[in-house]
Amino acid sequence: MTDQAVHTGGPAPSAGAVDGGVDGGGAADGLLGRRRELDRLRADAERAGLDALSGSPSSRCRVLLVAGRPGSGRTALAEEFARQAAADYPDGILRARLSDPDGTPVPTERTARDLLRALA
């Protein structure tokens, strides 16, 4: 029940990558009533990662999970955040679906294959 956005050095997500429905719409940021969640995702993306805490230089690679029940708007939230954050990751953002729209977990092998295919 999660989606993942990862800085990969690959292409940014396209409109064709959206798998889910629209959560609200009509707001300036594309979502209605999700400002708090978007702000929390932005804060998480900007927070120092384990590499920086251990003294290693930051790689600007972040893994963020958006969890929720099927139909709760998690895909729309992840896509909107990726759209807003794209300028901060000029090498691209990669998104992996970890569950199908009905909540069934996606097999790890399929997720890995999809990520590798997206990286060409």
Side-chain angles (χ1 to χ4, degrees), residues 69-112:
R69 298 175 53 88
S72 66
R74 65 185 189 265
T75 300
L77 178 64
E79 289 293 336
E80 179 61 21
F81 175 74
R83 186 189 67 74
Q84 290 181 15
D88 296 332
Y89 296 91
D91 291 332
I93 294 175
L94 187 63
R95 186 178 144 271
R97 180 171 282 288
L98 302 180
S99 67
D100 286 325
D102 67 357
T104 304
V106 171
T108 304
E109 297 81 15
R110 187 172 107 197
T111 300

Side-chain angles (χ1 to χ4, degrees), residues 40-52 58 60 62:
R40 289 183 70 181
L41 284 169
R42 191 171 301 106
D44 284 345
E46 293 170 357
R47 185 171 297 129
L50 294 177
D51 54 352
S58 177
R60 287 288 298 149
R62 306 302 296 160

Side-chain angles (χ1 to χ4, degrees), residues 12-70:
S14 66
V18 178
D19 298 321
V22 175
D23 180 20
D29 62 9
L31 294 176
L32 201 58
R34 301 302 288 265
R35 172 63 38 210
R36 185 184 67 179
E37 289 92 342
L38 286 168
D39 289 345
R40 289 183 70 181
L41 284 169
R42 191 171 301 106
D44 284 345
E46 293 170 357
R47 185 171 297 129
L50 294 177
D51 54 352
L53 295 175
S54 68
S56 301
S58 177
S59 63
R60 287 288 298 149
C61 178
R62 306 302 296 160
V63 176
L64 301 174
L65 298 176
V66 178
R69 298 175 53 88

